[in-house]
Amino acid sequence: MRRLVGTETEYGIAPEGKDARDLVAETIALLEQVSPPYVAAWDYSAEDPQRDFRGFRASGLARDPEDEKIERQSTRPAGTVLDRCLPNGGRLYNDHGHPEYSTPECRSLFDLVAHDAAGERILLECAARRTQDGHGVALYKNNTDYHGFSYGCHENYLVSREVPAEDLISGLIPFLVTRQIFAGAGKVCVEGDRKHDQIFQLSQRADFVNTLASVDTLSQRPLINTRDEPHADARRYRRFHNIIGDANMSRYATALKVGTMSLVLGCLEAGWRPQLAVREPVSALKEVSRDQSLEWRVPLAGGGSATAVEIQRHYLEAARAALTDLAEDEEWVLGEWEKTLTLLEDDPLSLADRLDWAIKRKMLREFAEAGEQPLTQEWLRSFDLEYHNIAPDRGLFFAAAAPVAQDLVSEEAVARATRQPPPDTRAQLRGLVVERYPDTVRSLSWGWVRLGVEGTERILDLRALVDGALTELNEKAEASRDLGAMLALFGGV
C-alpha cells in the first residue's frame, strides 16, 4: 500500500467464576502467559492524548463518572498495567480490564490481515495456558459488553501532513458514516434503548459515537478522532487514528475496511475532495446502522439525500480517477469494493458468506424460522456475543462463515505473523532487537528503541523509516553479527 497501517484491538474477556471487579487482575494474569522473548518497557513519553492535529492542545479529556472510576482503579499504579512488546513487532497489553493487541506497522494489506488475525492466535495461546492452570477464560473480538461500555478496534494510517486538517475531517466524514455497510460487525439491539432491544444494526460502535471531532476516545467519542501522535516525523506526517470501526471476525471484511480507507486517504493526499457533505453526520451514522430496510438513505447538507452505496461509489470513482501505479493489494481493494457495492445494491444478504453483519443477520433469520428457541433479549445478546468468540470450536462465526471470509490469508501466514514482523517495514528492526537483545532494551516505542550497550545509552531512531519498503535494510540487519553491527546500519547513535 501507499502507507503504513496497523490495528489495535481490545478484546472482551469472560473469566469463569469472576465478576467485573476482577477483570483487570484477570486480564493481567492472562497476558502473563505470553511466551518469551518480549520486552516489558514501553515508553509513553511520545504519547500526548491532548494534542489535537487541528493545531491546538485540548484542555482535557472527557470522562464520565464510570470512566473516572476505572481510571482511578486501573491505570499506572503498580500491578495494574502490563505491557509486552513482541518479536513480531506487535504489542500486547491491558487497557483497563481488556486485553489489547496492536499489530506491527504493515505496508501490505494482506500482511495487516495476517497480523490482525495473529493477535487472536496469541491470545488463544495465552487462554489455553491459563485454562491448564485451572482458570477458564473466554475471549471475544467484539465492541460491547451490553452494560453500557464499549471497547474499540482502532485503525492507524500514516498520512501526509500536507492535507489540511479540516480537509481531512470533511473528506472522511461521508466515507466513515457509510463504510459500515460492508465493515459493520452487526448488533442485535440499540444500546440503552429498551424500546429497540431486538432491532438489528450494522455497527457495534455506532451507538457510542456522540460528537463530530475531538481527541477523546472514552466518553464523548468522536466520529473523527483528532489526536496528534504521528510516531514519525511530525513535520511531514500525522497518524489518522480511526476509533469508530467495528472489530471484524471476517478477514475479508477487515481487508475491505482497511484497504478502502487507505485508498480514500490517498485521494485526499492527491488533492481530491468529495463533492458532497452529510447533514448531521453523527445522527446519520446511527440511522444508517439502524435502517431495517437496508436502503441506507443519508440526508445531505445541501438538501436531498443519497444512499450509502451511492456515497461509497463517489469515493470508489475518485480512487479510480485520482490514483495511479497501484500496488497489487490496492487493485484487489478496488475490484472487491466495486463488487461489494454492486451486491449491496442488488441483494445485501447475498454477502452473508463474507461480511460480518450479513452473516450474523442470516443466522438470526434462520434461528427465527426454525422456531426452536424463543428470541428473548437475553438469548439474542448471548448469540451476539458467541458470534465473536475467537475460539474456533466455540465461536458461531466459524460455524457459519464461508471460506471466502477467511481464505484471504492462509493459516500458515497467520502462524508466521505470530512470530515474525512484516519484512518490509521498521517493525522488523524493532522485532529483531526484542528477539535477539531483549536484555539491552531500556525502553521502546513505535518510533525508537533506547538501548543500554556497555554502560552507554544508544538510541535506535525509527521515526524516519516510514517512506518506503525496507526489505534490503531489514535483510542486512537480520544478517548482522551483533548489536553494534546492526546499529551501524541505520543510524543508531
Side-chain angles (χ1 to χ4, degrees):
M1 291 185 289
R2 295 168 180 261
R3 70 194 73 256
L4 295 184
V5 299
T7 61
E8 309 164 53
T9 304
E10 296 174 61
Y11 287 80
I13 179 173
E16 291 180 4
K18 303 292 183 178
D19 61 26
R21 293 172 297 180
D22 303 309
L23 290 184
V24 173
E26 288 296 318
T27 297
I28 289 173
L30 172 77
L31 300 183
E32 286 175 337
Q33 304 300 316
V34 71
S35 298
Y38 54 74
V39 168
W42 188 254
D43 185 349
Y44 290 92
S45 65
E47 300 181 15
D48 185 356
Q50 291 173 240
R51 189 171 61 221
D52 194 300
F53 68 53
R54 291 171 290 184
F56 59 87
R57 183 176 172 80
S59 59
L61 300 177
R63 293 284 192 274
D64 65 27
E66 287 301 316
D67 289 334
E68 291 176 354
K69 180 179 177 182
I70 293 171
E71 283 285 309
R72 289 194 299 271
Q73 291 177 344
S74 57
T75 54
R76 301 298 185 272
T80 60
V81 176
L82 181 141
D83 240 306
R84 296 289 186 261
C85 302
L86 306 176
N88 73 347
R91 180 180 169 215
L92 190 65
Y93 50 101
N94 70 298
D95 190 338
H96 309 306
H98 294 277
E100 183 161 354
Y101 175 76
S102 289
T103 70
E105 307 93 321
C106 298
R107 188 172 299 279
S108 158
L109 178 63
F110 305 125
D111 278 350
L112 182 279
V113 174
H115 276 274
D116 184 79
E120 301 172 30
R121 296 295 177 265
I122 292 169
L123 284 168
L124 279 174
E125 290 173 3
C126 291
R129 296 187 188 106
R130 185 77 174 141
T131 299
Q132 287 174 356
D133 291 340
H135 303 277
V137 59
L139 295 166
Y140 302 94
K141 194 180 184 184
N142 72 334
N143 303 104
T144 178
D145 66 357
Y146 288 112
H147 295 288
F149 291 97
S150 179
Y151 32 98
C153 179
H154 299 177
E155 307 147 47
N156 298 290
Y157 304 85
L158 197 67
V159 185
S160 171
R161 200 170 282 271
E162 292 183 3
V163 181
E166 293 305 322
D167 286 1
L168 185 65
I169 293 169
S170 62
L172 289 176
I173 285 172
F175 175 74
L176 285 174
V177 165
T178 55
R179 186 186 67 164
Q180 61 186 302
I181 63 176
F182 53 78
K187 185 177 180 180
V188 295
C189 74
V190 174
E191 202 93 5
D193 185 350
R194 296 191 62 84
K195 294 184 297 184
H196 297 100
D197 277 339
Q198 296 196 9
I199 197 171
F200 186 87
Q201 296 197 65
L202 297 181
S203 170
Q204 295 214 333
R205 286 287 270 179
D207 285 342
F208 299 96
V209 175
N210 44 29
T211 193
L212 185 63
S214 81
V215 296
D216 293 302
T217 59
L218 291 177
S219 184
Q220 294 299 310
R221 290 184 182 89
L223 199 157
I224 302 289
N225 183 264
T226 54
R227 185 171 294 182
D228 194 8
E229 293 174 349
H231 302 308
D233 184 346
R235 297 166 298 178
R236 299 179 59 197
Y237 297 105
R238 63 169 54 96
R239 174 180 61 113
F240 179 63
H241 183 56
N242 183 45
I243 71 167
I244 71 163
D246 287 6
N248 294 108
M249 296 295 294
S250 166
R251 296 174 189 170
Y252 179 93
T254 295
L256 204 55
K257 172 178 72 177
V258 174
T260 55
M261 172 69 86
S262 182
L263 292 181
V264 169
L265 290 169
C267 291
L268 297 176
E269 289 169 327
W272 174 86
R273 300 295 181 264
Q275 301 304 303
L276 50 81
V278 174
R279 187 168 74 241
E280 298 183 7
V282 174
S283 295
L285 178 78
K286 300 177 192 299
E287 290 164 5
V288 169
S289 181
R290 300 169 187 176
D291 184 357
Q292 302 303 288
S293 73
L294 306 186
E295 294 179 0
W296 307 310
R297 188 157 290 280
V298 180
L300 299 179
S305 64
T307 67
V309 172
E310 290 169 342
I311 292 172
Q312 283 291 313
R313 284 197 186 281
H314 184 62
Y315 284 91
L316 170 62
E317 291 164 4
R320 289 200 180 281
L323 304 179
T324 58
D325 299 323
L326 296 181
E328 181 179 352
D329 52 2
E330 294 174 315
E331 292 285 5
W332 179 91
V333 173
L334 281 178
E336 296 303 311
W337 194 3
E338 182 170 35
K339 182 190 303 181
T340 298
L341 294 179
T342 298
L343 292 171
L344 285 168
E345 208 162 36
D346 295 342
D347 180 11
L349 290 179
S350 67
L351 288 157
D353 60 349
R354 67 194 71 183
L355 300 186
D356 283 301
W357 74 262
I359 297 169
K360 190 182 289 184
R361 181 161 174 156
K362 180 183 178 183
M363 291 180 71
L364 275 173
R365 186 175 64 183
E366 290 173 348
F367 278 122
E369 290 173 351
E372 297 176 0
Q373 173 69 48
L375 303 187
T376 62
Q377 176 188 341
E378 181 180 0
W379 184 89
L380 287 168
R381 292 185 177 186
S382 176
F383 159 84
D384 199 338
L385 188 62
E386 288 307 315
Y387 178 89
H388 297 272
N389 192 320
I390 64 172
D393 60 339
R394 294 184 59 184
L396 295 179
F397 164 77
F398 299 101
V404 67
Q406 290 294 81
D407 285 354
L408 191 62
V409 294
S410 68
E411 290 306 313
E412 291 78 8
V414 175
R416 185 167 57 250
T418 66
R419 306 182 303 271
Q420 299 176 14
D424 57 353
T425 77
R426 66 187 186 181
Q428 168 81 355
L429 303 172
R430 192 174 56 250
L432 195 60
V433 171
V434 170
E435 181 179 24
R436 292 185 180 178
Y437 314 109
D439 293 339
T440 70
V441 179
R442 293 180 177 176
S443 68
L444 74 169
S445 71
W446 301 112
W448 59 74
V449 182
R450 288 189 171 89
L451 302 154
V453 182
E454 298 178 350
T456 302
E457 182 177 89
R458 305 285 296 274
I459 299 175
L460 175 59
D461 191 341
L462 306 175
R463 288 172 294 180
L465 302 179
V466 297
D467 287 327
L470 300 177
T471 304
E472 183 177 353
L473 176 61
N474 287 339
E475 288 175 349
K476 290 180 179 178
E478 181 77 27
S480 61
R481 65 186 182 279
D482 56 34
L483 180 57
M486 190 177 110
L487 286 171
L489 289 171
F490 44 87
V493 297

